[in-house]
Amino acid sequence: MSAHDKLLGLSARPKVAVHKFSSCDGCQLAFINDAVSLLELSTLVDVVHFAEAGPLDEFAEVDLAIIEGSVNTHHDIHRLEMVREKAKYLVCVGACAITGGIQALRNYTDDKGLLEWQHGIYPQDTDVIIKEDLSTAKPISAYVPVDFEIPGCPITSTQILHAVRSILFGVEPEKNVDSVCTSCKHAGITCVTVARGEPCLGPVTANGCEALCPALGRGCYGCYGASKYANMGAMTDKLKEMGLSEIQIKHKFQYINSQDAGYKGE
Amino acid sequence: MSHYYFLPHQRIDDMLNQLQGDGYKCVAPRHHESEINYDTITKSADLPWGFHDEQAPGHYKVNKSDHKHAFGFVLPTTSVKPMLFKAKENIWKVARNDEGKLAFEPIVEFEKIAVFGVRPCDLRGIEIQDRVFMENSYNDVRYVKRRENQFLIAMNCTKSHSNCFCVALGDAPQADKGFDLAMTEIEGDGFVVEIGSDKGRALLDALDLEAASGGQAQKALAKIAYAVDGQKKTLPPIKEVETKLMANLEHPQWDDVASRCLSCGSCTQVCPTCFCHTERDEPNVLGTETHHTREWDSCFSIDHSYTHGDTYREDPKYRYRQWLTHKFSTWRDQFRTKGCVGCGRCVTWCPVKIDVVDEINAICK
């Protein structure tokens, strides 16, 4: 079924579920933060499951499932498959759901290295990572088909509300394909690379954050993943010219969206 | 040039007060942290006294000196374009009225703005955009209103930065038309002033300025000549560039530049003449009304060439080629002018130091 047919097949008063997998809840908060808009939205849809906000009915049949977080456990896979089966249209929000997020850095390490990380992050012994469980953090799309993705770390209220509004109109939401440089120039933000010598991933990173970091004089961290066209060779050469070592450049790209195909130059 | 007047530095405030009294918001280059850019000013002290800029490919830096000049820098980070053709604005909204019918409402916002210190290249940028938005079959009502309510005080260049190339295009760093007043700053002293319109004459009459002395006028011309000498970039004659670019559409240099180009679009966004834009709707959550917005687009955006279900400039070399050939060749067919004013912003603000003059020379040699 095409995306268009799927969207036309949604109920007149759609049922919506918001699910959390491995994540910080920041994207769900982006949805909740604009309380007035959420109240308005509740006059148009039935939110049947949204643990962060209250309603609980995890495996209800829904028109629209919104998913935050990455898949880290066997239990996650089982739950995700159930969610997909019950949803007509599935939207992923944020870096974790789309690329695996910052926790996907574990995909680069072995058991010994992972244990070192764990001790570095948690002060006491913890069973947060069970040895027999999955050894990777992966995006939702690695396990089930995804209908639409909204990038960000976290996403913004504007992004999610705009997307839900488009879905209610029966059209696929618009994708942000340009680089962060577009937002900087539109907002009159002076380029931090050119004027301050700040290494910035803006030229190869998808727009959508309204250039939050450059507006504060800092280089882009790449929260939204690679832009649709990203000249990684030219970006890497630029970072080298600015004095960054190969390992520093690697760390820049292997950060919030380490599994992003664009950042890997794939 | 007919007659020169003289505005001492001490009388800048009188001029600003006069303009403000006439209902103008005064805008001029101001210094902020790491840049000099246009902003609202209310008094002479707001000007970037003693500051100057250093510009090179992919490089911009502001420094301070003890010199007593307000316009000792060469070029503000942005041109006058964002004041006339806004980066993003609502152009109309639509909502259902009580009878359930769609009610459209145009949005035309403008204010009276006096711009103090427009460099000659940026003045030519306005002239070129006038062709696009006012003297074309298509008239943009917002642009027209803003132009009608604009007072332009040009500031001739007294030095050039290393990316400037107006001279290579056959122009000069001296305002020749399209201004209400044109000035040249004589350091530590004031401005030699020239009148360009009735509005400009009325302002000078109100200020009751003395005529400039022959010495002052000579000093001003020498300053401009110094700015001309400061430009080192060269290009073939513009007619030759226009022909050769279109005759070399498969030149290997297009591949070479594409390998270096980030396709970030910064060059087009800082360009005083680029006018491409896209329109979209921003509906409210309830879906009962929507704002129709217009914002700057760029031929470097991969979706810019998406037409009838296909993207025909997917390859970055075609995006760069589109930009360069439009700006330096097909613009003339479309608008009967050059598309470039030689301000050098596309060179300064390119993060990977691509120099448009070098690229043209490589293709046209």
Side-chain angles (χ1 to χ4, degrees), chain A residues 166-213:
Chain A
S166 297
I167 290 165
L168 290 175
F169 278 139
V171 294
E172 188 172 70
E174 191 180 6
K175 288 177 184 136
N176 231 330
V177 298
D178 295 337
S179 68
V180 174
C181 299
T182 312
S183 273
C184 274
K185 294 295 180 291
H186 286 199
I189 298 165
T190 299
C191 179
V192 296
T193 294
V194 171
R196 293 174 184 238
E198 282 285 328
C200 175
L201 299 188
V204 291
T205 298
N207 197 7
C209 61
E210 306 291 329
L212 186 61
C213 293

mmCIF file of all heavy atoms in Angstrom, chain A residues 166-213:
data_model
loop_
_atom_site.group_PDB
_atom_site.id
_atom_site.type_symbol
_atom_site.label_atom_id
_atom_site.label_comp_id
_atom_site.label_asym_id
_atom_site.label_seq_id
_atom_site.Cartn_x
_atom_site.Cartn_y
_atom_site.Cartn_z
ATOM 1 N N SER A 166 -0.259 17.349 9.183
ATOM 2 C CA SER A 166 -0.221 16.880 7.794
ATOM 3 C C SER A 166 -0.894 15.525 7.670
ATOM 4 O O SER A 166 -1.668 15.286 6.746
ATOM 5 C CB SER A 166 1.231 16.769 7.305
ATOM 6 O OG SER A 166 1.840 18.015 7.315
ATOM 7 N N ILE A 167 -0.600 14.631 8.620
ATOM 8 C CA ILE A 167 -1.183 13.286 8.589
ATOM 9 C C ILE A 167 -2.703 13.383 8.697
ATOM 10 O O ILE A 167 -3.437 12.676 8.009
ATOM 11 C CB ILE A 167 -0.561 12.414 9.710
ATOM 12 C CG1 ILE A 167 0.899 12.119 9.361
ATOM 13 C CG2 ILE A 167 -1.351 11.127 9.921
ATOM 14 C CD1 ILE A 167 1.740 11.577 10.505
ATOM 15 N N LEU A 168 -3.181 14.301 9.541
ATOM 16 C CA LEU A 168 -4.640 14.484 9.669
ATOM 17 C C LEU A 168 -5.245 14.993 8.359
ATOM 18 O O LEU A 168 -6.387 14.689 8.036
ATOM 19 C CB LEU A 168 -4.967 15.458 10.810
ATOM 20 C CG LEU A 168 -4.698 14.934 12.226
ATOM 21 C CD1 LEU A 168 -4.939 16.032 13.252
ATOM 22 C CD2 LEU A 168 -5.559 13.717 12.535
ATOM 23 N N PHE A 169 -4.469 15.769 7.625
ATOM 24 C CA PHE A 169 -4.935 16.240 6.308
ATOM 25 C C PHE A 169 -4.860 15.126 5.263
ATOM 26 O O PHE A 169 -5.295 15.297 4.124
ATOM 27 C CB PHE A 169 -4.070 17.415 5.817
ATOM 28 C CG PHE A 169 -4.434 18.771 6.384
ATOM 29 C CD1 PHE A 169 -3.440 19.666 6.756
ATOM 30 C CD2 PHE A 169 -5.764 19.154 6.518
ATOM 31 C CE1 PHE A 169 -3.773 20.920 7.259
ATOM 32 C CE2 PHE A 169 -6.094 20.405 7.023
ATOM 33 C CZ PHE A 169 -5.100 21.287 7.394
ATOM 34 N N GLY A 170 -4.209 14.013 5.626
ATOM 35 C CA GLY A 170 -4.082 12.902 4.691
ATOM 36 C C GLY A 170 -2.903 13.021 3.747
ATOM 37 O O GLY A 170 -2.881 12.399 2.681
ATOM 38 N N VAL A 171 -1.915 13.837 4.125
ATOM 39 C CA VAL A 171 -0.726 13.966 3.276
ATOM 40 C C VAL A 171 0.533 13.641 4.075
ATOM 41 O O VAL A 171 0.579 13.833 5.289
ATOM 42 C CB VAL A 171 -0.571 15.385 2.667
ATOM 43 C CG1 VAL A 171 -1.681 15.690 1.705
ATOM 44 C CG2 VAL A 171 -0.506 16.432 3.773
ATOM 45 N N GLU A 172 1.542 13.152 3.371
ATOM 46 C CA GLU A 172 2.799 12.839 4.037
ATOM 47 C C GLU A 172 3.451 14.147 4.487
ATOM 48 O O GLU A 172 3.501 15.108 3.710
ATOM 49 C CB GLU A 172 3.717 12.105 3.050
ATOM 50 C CG GLU A 172 4.959 11.562 3.701
ATOM 51 C CD GLU A 172 5.762 10.668 2.770
ATOM 52 O OE1 GLU A 172 6.357 11.198 1.814
ATOM 53 O OE2 GLU A 172 5.786 9.449 3.002
ATOM 54 N N PRO A 173 3.973 14.211 5.715
ATOM 55 C CA PRO A 173 4.618 15.460 6.167
ATOM 56 C C PRO A 173 5.820 15.794 5.288
ATOM 57 O O PRO A 173 6.405 14.909 4.671
ATOM 58 C CB PRO A 173 5.081 15.130 7.587
ATOM 59 C CG PRO A 173 4.271 13.955 8.014
ATOM 60 C CD PRO A 173 3.976 13.180 6.769
ATOM 61 N N GLU A 174 6.170 17.087 5.274
ATOM 62 C CA GLU A 174 7.307 17.508 4.460
ATOM 63 C C GLU A 174 8.609 17.091 5.134
ATOM 64 O O GLU A 174 8.741 17.167 6.348
ATOM 65 C CB GLU A 174 7.276 19.039 4.320
ATOM 66 C CG GLU A 174 8.242 19.541 3.291
ATOM 67 C CD GLU A 174 8.213 21.052 3.169
ATOM 68 O OE1 GLU A 174 7.526 21.727 3.961
ATOM 69 O OE2 GLU A 174 8.888 21.559 2.273
ATOM 70 N N LYS A 175 9.566 16.661 4.305
ATOM 71 C CA LYS A 175 10.882 16.298 4.849
ATOM 72 C C LYS A 175 11.802 17.504 4.751
ATOM 73 O O LYS A 175 11.759 18.257 3.796
ATOM 74 C CB LYS A 175 11.483 15.143 4.044
ATOM 75 C CG LYS A 175 10.777 13.828 4.297
ATOM 76 C CD LYS A 175 11.349 12.714 3.423
ATOM 77 C CE LYS A 175 10.550 11.448 3.653
ATOM 78 N NZ LYS A 175 10.222 10.732 2.427
ATOM 79 N N ASN A 176 12.639 17.649 5.756
ATOM 80 C CA ASN A 176 13.614 18.720 5.748
ATOM 81 C C ASN A 176 14.875 18.209 5.088
ATOM 82 O O ASN A 176 15.562 17.364 5.647
ATOM 83 C CB ASN A 176 13.912 19.116 7.192
ATOM 84 C CG ASN A 176 13.775 20.601 7.386
ATOM 85 O OD1 ASN A 176 14.012 21.363 6.453
ATOM 86 N ND2 ASN A 176 13.388 21.007 8.567
ATOM 87 N N VAL A 177 15.176 18.670 3.887
ATOM 88 C CA VAL A 177 16.297 18.088 3.158
ATOM 89 C C VAL A 177 17.539 18.983 3.114
ATOM 90 O O VAL A 177 18.618 18.539 2.771
ATOM 91 C CB VAL A 177 15.894 17.730 1.710
ATOM 92 C CG1 VAL A 177 14.792 16.694 1.711
ATOM 93 C CG2 VAL A 177 15.471 18.963 0.941
ATOM 94 N N ASP A 178 17.381 20.259 3.476
ATOM 95 C CA ASP A 178 18.515 21.171 3.374
ATOM 96 C C ASP A 178 19.437 21.053 4.592
ATOM 97 O O ASP A 178 19.108 20.420 5.576
ATOM 98 C CB ASP A 178 18.013 22.608 3.246
ATOM 99 C CG ASP A 178 17.256 22.825 1.953
ATOM 100 O OD1 ASP A 178 17.482 22.046 1.011
ATOM 101 O OD2 ASP A 178 16.435 23.752 1.899
ATOM 102 N N SER A 179 20.568 21.731 4.496
ATOM 103 C CA SER A 179 21.527 21.687 5.599
ATOM 104 C C SER A 179 21.221 22.798 6.608
ATOM 105 O O SER A 179 20.451 23.707 6.335
ATOM 106 C CB SER A 179 22.942 21.844 5.056
ATOM 107 O OG SER A 179 23.106 23.153 4.557
ATOM 108 N N VAL A 180 21.870 22.711 7.758
ATOM 109 C CA VAL A 180 21.681 23.696 8.824
ATOM 110 C C VAL A 180 22.095 25.103 8.360
ATOM 111 O O VAL A 180 21.552 26.101 8.837
ATOM 112 C CB VAL A 180 22.479 23.271 10.085
ATOM 113 C CG1 VAL A 180 22.423 24.329 11.172
ATOM 114 C CG2 VAL A 180 21.939 21.952 10.621
ATOM 115 N N CYS A 181 23.038 25.173 7.408
ATOM 116 C CA CYS A 181 23.490 26.484 6.896
ATOM 117 C C CYS A 181 22.293 27.337 6.451
ATOM 118 O O CYS A 181 22.301 28.559 6.610
ATOM 119 C CB CYS A 181 24.448 26.305 5.725
ATOM 120 S SG CYS A 181 25.951 25.397 6.142
ATOM 121 N N THR A 182 21.284 26.687 5.897
ATOM 122 C CA THR A 182 20.095 27.402 5.441
ATOM 123 C C THR A 182 19.475 28.185 6.597
ATOM 124 O O THR A 182 19.172 29.374 6.465
ATOM 125 C CB THR A 182 19.051 26.400 4.892
ATOM 126 O OG1 THR A 182 19.713 25.523 3.998
ATOM 127 C CG2 THR A 182 17.915 27.097 4.209
ATOM 128 N N SER A 183 19.294 27.530 7.726
ATOM 129 C CA SER A 183 18.682 28.201 8.880
ATOM 130 C C SER A 183 19.560 29.325 9.402
ATOM 131 O O SER A 183 19.064 30.379 9.793
ATOM 132 C CB SER A 183 18.431 27.205 10.020
ATOM 133 O OG SER A 183 17.198 26.578 9.856
ATOM 134 N N CYS A 184 20.877 29.082 9.429
ATOM 135 C CA CYS A 184 21.795 30.128 9.914
ATOM 136 C C CYS A 184 21.644 31.385 9.063
ATOM 137 O O CYS A 184 21.511 32.482 9.593
ATOM 138 C CB CYS A 184 23.240 29.645 9.842
ATOM 139 S SG CYS A 184 23.751 28.722 11.295
ATOM 140 N N LYS A 185 21.653 31.189 7.754
ATOM 141 C CA LYS A 185 21.611 32.344 6.866
ATOM 142 C C LYS A 185 20.240 33.029 6.952
ATOM 143 O O LYS A 185 20.161 34.253 6.927
ATOM 144 C CB LYS A 185 21.903 31.923 5.426
ATOM 145 C CG LYS A 185 23.334 31.418 5.221
ATOM 146 C CD LYS A 185 24.359 32.509 5.446
ATOM 147 C CE LYS A 185 25.794 32.059 5.261
ATOM 148 N NZ LYS A 185 26.302 31.135 6.276
ATOM 149 N N HIS A 186 19.174 32.258 7.056
ATOM 150 C CA HIS A 186 17.844 32.863 7.148
ATOM 151 C C HIS A 186 17.701 33.685 8.432
ATOM 152 O O HIS A 186 17.051 34.718 8.448
ATOM 153 C CB HIS A 186 16.763 31.782 7.111
ATOM 154 C CG HIS A 186 16.582 31.193 5.744
ATOM 155 N ND1 HIS A 186 15.462 30.504 5.367
ATOM 156 C CD2 HIS A 186 17.392 31.195 4.671
ATOM 157 C CE1 HIS A 186 15.601 30.111 4.113
ATOM 158 N NE2 HIS A 186 16.765 30.517 3.676
ATOM 159 N N ALA A 187 18.313 33.191 9.503
ATOM 160 C CA ALA A 187 18.184 33.883 10.789
ATOM 161 C C ALA A 187 19.231 34.989 10.942
ATOM 162 O O ALA A 187 19.272 35.663 11.972
ATOM 163 C CB ALA A 187 18.310 32.876 11.924
ATOM 164 N N GLY A 188 20.106 35.151 9.939
ATOM 165 C CA GLY A 188 21.144 36.183 10.041
ATOM 166 C C GLY A 188 22.231 35.820 11.045
ATOM 167 O O GLY A 188 22.894 36.693 11.603
ATOM 168 N N ILE A 189 22.419 34.512 11.279
ATOM 169 C CA ILE A 189 23.469 34.078 12.210
ATOM 170 C C ILE A 189 24.793 34.054 11.443
ATOM 171 O O ILE A 189 24.889 33.441 10.380
ATOM 172 C CB ILE A 189 23.166 32.659 12.753
ATOM 173 C CG1 ILE A 189 21.844 32.657 13.535
ATOM 174 C CG2 ILE A 189 24.317 32.142 13.604
ATOM 175 C CD1 ILE A 189 21.285 31.271 13.802
ATOM 176 N N THR A 190 25.786 34.728 11.982
ATOM 177 C CA THR A 190 27.090 34.764 11.316
ATOM 178 C C THR A 190 27.748 33.386 11.422
ATOM 179 O O THR A 190 27.771 32.791 12.500
ATOM 180 C CB THR A 190 27.979 35.845 11.966
ATOM 181 O OG1 THR A 190 27.314 37.092 11.801
ATOM 182 C CG2 THR A 190 29.337 35.923 11.303
ATOM 183 N N CYS A 191 28.282 32.909 10.301
ATOM 184 C CA CYS A 191 28.849 31.558 10.242
ATOM 185 C C CYS A 191 29.927 31.366 11.309
ATOM 186 O O CYS A 191 30.929 32.089 11.327
ATOM 187 C CB CYS A 191 29.429 31.307 8.854
ATOM 188 S SG CYS A 191 30.179 29.677 8.695
ATOM 189 N N VAL A 192 29.738 30.378 12.190
ATOM 190 C CA VAL A 192 30.693 30.173 13.283
ATOM 191 C C VAL A 192 32.014 29.584 12.779
ATOM 192 O O VAL A 192 33.055 29.773 13.397
ATOM 193 C CB VAL A 192 30.103 29.283 14.413
ATOM 194 C CG1 VAL A 192 28.925 29.970 15.073
ATOM 195 C CG2 VAL A 192 29.708 27.903 13.905
ATOM 196 N N THR A 193 31.965 28.887 11.651
ATOM 197 C CA THR A 193 33.208 28.338 11.093
ATOM 198 C C THR A 193 34.049 29.461 10.489
ATOM 199 O O THR A 193 35.234 29.588 10.784
ATOM 200 C CB THR A 193 32.887 27.289 10.005
ATOM 201 O OG1 THR A 193 32.253 26.173 10.618
ATOM 202 C CG2 THR A 193 34.147 26.803 9.310
ATOM 203 N N VAL A 194 33.408 30.287 9.678
ATOM 204 C CA VAL A 194 34.146 31.343 8.969
ATOM 205 C C VAL A 194 34.592 32.460 9.922
ATOM 206 O O VAL A 194 35.724 32.929 9.854
ATOM 207 C CB VAL A 194 33.285 31.918 7.816
ATOM 208 C CG1 VAL A 194 33.941 33.148 7.207
ATOM 209 C CG2 VAL A 194 33.064 30.853 6.745
ATOM 210 N N ALA A 195 33.715 32.887 10.819
ATOM 211 C CA ALA A 195 34.024 34.054 11.651
ATOM 212 C C ALA A 195 34.646 33.716 13.003
ATOM 213 O O ALA A 195 35.232 34.573 13.651
ATOM 214 C CB ALA A 195 32.757 34.888 11.869
ATOM 215 N N ARG A 196 34.491 32.461 13.453
ATOM 216 C CA ARG A 196 35.029 32.130 14.779
ATOM 217 C C ARG A 196 35.959 30.923 14.779
ATOM 218 O O ARG A 196 36.460 30.512 15.832
ATOM 219 C CB ARG A 196 33.879 31.800 15.737
ATOM 220 C CG ARG A 196 32.984 32.968 16.074
ATOM 221 C CD ARG A 196 31.812 32.455 16.898
ATOM 222 N NE ARG A 196 30.862 33.503 17.182
ATOM 223 C CZ ARG A 196 30.514 33.868 18.418
ATOM 224 N NH1 ARG A 196 31.036 33.280 19.453
ATOM 225 N NH2 ARG A 196 29.637 34.824 18.598
ATOM 226 N N GLY A 197 36.093 30.293 13.624
ATOM 227 C CA GLY A 197 36.951 29.117 13.555
ATOM 228 C C GLY A 197 36.411 27.918 14.320
ATOM 229 O O GLY A 197 37.160 27.062 14.772
ATOM 230 N N GLU A 198 35.085 27.860 14.492
ATOM 231 C CA GLU A 198 34.464 26.737 15.198
ATOM 232 C C GLU A 198 34.213 25.591 14.228
ATOM 233 O O GLU A 198 33.551 25.774 13.206
ATOM 234 C CB GLU A 198 33.100 27.162 15.770
ATOM 235 C CG GLU A 198 33.158 27.979 17.014
ATOM 236 C CD GLU A 198 33.508 27.158 18.242
ATOM 237 O OE1 GLU A 198 33.143 25.972 18.296
ATOM 238 O OE2 GLU A 198 34.179 27.718 19.137
ATOM 239 N N PRO A 199 34.684 24.377 14.542
ATOM 240 C CA PRO A 199 34.314 23.235 13.694
ATOM 241 C C PRO A 199 32.800 23.020 13.812
ATOM 242 O O PRO A 199 32.277 22.991 14.928
ATOM 243 C CB PRO A 199 35.076 22.060 14.313
ATOM 244 C CG PRO A 199 36.069 22.661 15.244
ATOM 245 C CD PRO A 199 35.531 23.986 15.672
ATOM 246 N N CYS A 200 32.115 22.936 12.684
ATOM 247 C CA CYS A 200 30.649 22.885 12.692
ATOM 248 C C CYS A 200 30.201 21.859 11.667
ATOM 249 O O CYS A 200 30.659 21.883 10.522
ATOM 250 C CB CYS A 200 30.108 24.270 12.345
ATOM 251 S SG CYS A 200 28.327 24.348 12.165
ATOM 252 N N LEU A 201 29.289 20.966 12.051
ATOM 253 C CA LEU A 201 28.802 19.949 11.106
ATOM 254 C C LEU A 201 27.602 20.456 10.302
ATOM 255 O O LEU A 201 27.002 19.709 9.533
ATOM 256 C CB LEU A 201 28.412 18.661 11.856
ATOM 257 C CG LEU A 201 29.529 17.957 12.636
ATOM 258 C CD1 LEU A 201 29.052 16.609 13.159
ATOM 259 C CD2 LEU A 201 30.767 17.761 11.767
ATOM 260 N N GLY A 202 27.252 21.723 10.485
ATOM 261 C CA GLY A 202 26.095 22.303 9.803
ATOM 262 C C GLY A 202 26.003 22.030 8.309
ATOM 263 O O GLY A 202 24.939 21.658 7.824
ATOM 264 N N PRO A 203 27.112 22.168 7.546
ATOM 265 C CA PRO A 203 27.007 21.990 6.092
ATOM 266 C C PRO A 203 26.592 20.576 5.647
ATOM 267 O O PRO A 203 26.180 20.405 4.511
ATOM 268 C CB PRO A 203 28.425 22.312 5.595
ATOM 269 C CG PRO A 203 29.034 23.171 6.649
ATOM 270 C CD PRO A 203 28.436 22.690 7.943
ATOM 271 N N VAL A 204 26.729 19.567 6.534
ATOM 272 C CA VAL A 204 26.340 18.200 6.130
ATOM 273 C C VAL A 204 25.212 17.651 6.999
ATOM 274 O O VAL A 204 24.900 16.469 6.932
ATOM 275 C CB VAL A 204 27.551 17.227 6.177
ATOM 276 C CG1 VAL A 204 28.560 17.567 5.090
ATOM 277 C CG2 VAL A 204 28.214 17.213 7.547
ATOM 278 N N THR A 205 24.622 18.534 7.831
ATOM 279 C CA THR A 205 23.593 18.067 8.764
ATOM 280 C C THR A 205 22.211 18.577 8.374
ATOM 281 O O THR A 205 22.064 19.723 7.953
ATOM 282 C CB THR A 205 23.957 18.519 10.197
ATOM 283 O OG1 THR A 205 25.185 17.908 10.551
ATOM 284 C CG2 THR A 205 22.880 18.133 11.200
ATOM 285 N N ALA A 206 21.212 17.710 8.543
ATOM 286 C CA ALA A 206 19.843 18.072 8.181
ATOM 287 C C ALA A 206 19.338 19.219 9.048
ATOM 288 O O ALA A 206 19.581 19.270 10.259
ATOM 289 C CB ALA A 206 18.934 16.869 8.330
ATOM 290 N N ASN A 207 18.632 20.110 8.416
ATOM 291 C CA ASN A 207 18.050 21.275 9.056
ATOM 292 C C ASN A 207 16.818 20.845 9.868
ATOM 293 O O ASN A 207 16.303 19.768 9.686
ATOM 294 C CB ASN A 207 17.627 22.229 7.934
ATOM 295 C CG ASN A 207 17.400 23.613 8.426
ATOM 296 O OD1 ASN A 207 17.676 23.922 9.574
ATOM 297 N ND2 ASN A 207 16.899 24.455 7.550
ATOM 298 N N GLY A 208 16.336 21.737 10.711
ATOM 299 C CA GLY A 208 15.125 21.433 11.477
ATOM 300 C C GLY A 208 15.196 21.970 12.893
ATOM 301 O O GLY A 208 14.185 22.137 13.564
ATOM 302 N N CYS A 209 16.412 22.274 13.351
ATOM 303 C CA CYS A 209 16.591 22.749 14.728
ATOM 304 C C CYS A 209 16.584 24.274 14.785
ATOM 305 O O CYS A 209 16.761 24.847 15.856
ATOM 306 C CB CYS A 209 17.903 22.230 15.271
ATOM 307 S SG CYS A 209 19.309 22.808 14.298
ATOM 308 N N GLU A 210 16.429 24.943 13.637
ATOM 309 C CA GLU A 210 16.528 26.406 13.564
ATOM 310 C C GLU A 210 17.920 26.862 13.999
ATOM 311 O O GLU A 210 18.075 27.923 14.607
ATOM 312 C CB GLU A 210 15.456 27.089 14.432
ATOM 313 C CG GLU A 210 14.020 26.658 14.145
ATOM 314 C CD GLU A 210 13.510 27.144 12.786
ATOM 315 O OE1 GLU A 210 13.939 28.207 12.347
ATOM 316 O OE2 GLU A 210 12.702 26.411 12.184
ATOM 317 N N ALA A 211 18.934 26.053 13.711
ATOM 318 C CA ALA A 211 20.333 26.402 14.002
ATOM 319 C C ALA A 211 20.551 26.799 15.460
ATOM 320 O O ALA A 211 21.206 27.796 15.758
ATOM 321 C CB ALA A 211 20.818 27.504 13.055
ATOM 322 N N LEU A 212 20.033 25.992 16.342
ATOM 323 C CA LEU A 212 20.098 26.262 17.785
ATOM 324 C C LEU A 212 21.527 26.521 18.277
ATOM 325 O O LEU A 212 21.788 27.503 18.969
ATOM 326 C CB LEU A 212 19.487 25.056 18.523
ATOM 327 C CG LEU A 212 19.310 25.150 20.024
ATOM 328 C CD1 LEU A 212 18.385 26.295 20.371
ATOM 329 C CD2 LEU A 212 18.740 23.838 20.561
ATOM 330 N N CYS A 213 22.460 25.640 17.932
ATOM 331 C CA CYS A 213 23.835 25.800 18.451
ATOM 332 C C CYS A 213 24.589 26.970 17.804
ATOM 333 O O CYS A 213 25.157 27.784 18.528
ATOM 334 C CB CYS A 213 24.604 24.483 18.336
ATOM 335 S SG CYS A 213 23.916 23.237 19.442
#
